[in-house]
Amino acid sequence: MMLRYLGSTKNLAGCVGGLIGVVLHLTGVVGWFWPFVVGALYAAGALLAPAEKVRLVPDTSAELRSSLETLVRRVSAQASRMPPSVVDTAGRIAEVLRDLLAQPARLSADPDLRHAVVRLAGTDLPLSLETYLNLPWWFAARRAGAGEELVAQLGLLEAEAHRVAERFYASEVDRQADHTRYLRDRDA
């Protein structure tokens, strides 16, 4: 706890205030009561400094990107066991999610959007693929419904990934439309 405070913004601001007090003493601005001035300026700096941000939910974007890459590699390695379109669809879903996870600060600004991306990348996509791959190969090959289920699940996940991306990039789309209107109005 003490080590954490030593590196905090509050302690650093207090140290700057205390240093200003020492400089005031060395330049002769304050006399014999300089220790009180140093303490008061330290306290003022520490009290006025912004508090550290509390992060209850860790930033998992880097971990999710890494696990997403691992998942895509493993799916590609198992391509012979899956229906033909699965590897391509999983790759397209992963590409959308990679783009979203590449902007963790912006993603964390919208908790609902962040939750949707984390759920897609960390739970839904891996669960669909792992469930299919955990079936014995002879069982999955003999039962056509298992492959169809996987294809259907990936289709739903791809549609959801695109809906999430639409929400994520909505402000850029609006900005582009506004600029088009401005250019048309300027021409008129």
Side-chain angles (χ1 to χ4, degrees), residues 37-111:
V37 172
V38 170
L41 288 174
Y42 175 87
L47 290 173
L48 294 175
E52 299 290 325
K53 287 189 174 184
V54 176
R55 304 287 301 165
L56 297 177
V57 178
D59 180 25
T60 57
S61 295
E63 294 171 15
L64 278 173
R65 280 195 312 261
S66 175
S67 66
L68 200 57
E69 295 304 320
T70 303
L71 179 71
V72 169
R73 275 196 311 276
R74 287 182 179 168
V75 166
S76 295
Q78 297 287 330
S80 62
R81 287 194 52 203
M82 295 191 215
S85 65
V86 167
V87 175
D88 292 336
T89 306
R92 287 192 308 269
I93 296 169
E95 184 176 353
V96 171
L97 295 173
R98 260 187 242 115
D99 288 343
L100 301 177
L101 289 168
Q103 301 179 48
R106 186 166 164 214
L107 196 57
S108 65
D110 186 344

Side-chain angles (χ1 to χ4, degrees), residues 101-177:
L101 289 168
Q103 301 179 48
R106 186 166 164 214
L107 196 57
S108 65
D110 186 344
D112 291 334
L113 195 60
R114 183 177 190 275
H115 174 72
V117 171
V118 168
R119 187 186 64 231
L120 275 167
T123 304
D124 294 340
L125 182 60
L127 182 64
S128 292
L129 294 165
E130 288 172 0
T131 302
Y132 181 82
L133 288 173
N134 283 332
L135 293 173
W137 68 269
W138 55 267
F139 183 79
R142 194 166 159 236
R143 187 169 179 266
E148 292 169 4
E149 286 288 331
L150 178 60
V151 170
Q153 288 175 4
L154 292 180
L156 293 169
L157 291 175
E158 186 174 19
E160 185 177 354
H162 285 287
R163 281 193 304 274
V164 170
E166 286 284 333
R167 284 180 33 212
F168 187 80
Y169 293 113
S171 61
E172 281 84 0
V173 170
D174 291 343
R175 189 175 311 127
Q176 187 179 25

Side-chain angles (χ1 to χ4, degrees), residues 23-47:
V23 169
L24 290 175
H25 169 66
L26 293 176
T27 58
V29 175
V30 292
W32 61 270
F33 55 93
W34 70 272
F36 300 108
V37 172
V38 170
L41 288 174
Y42 175 87
L47 290 173

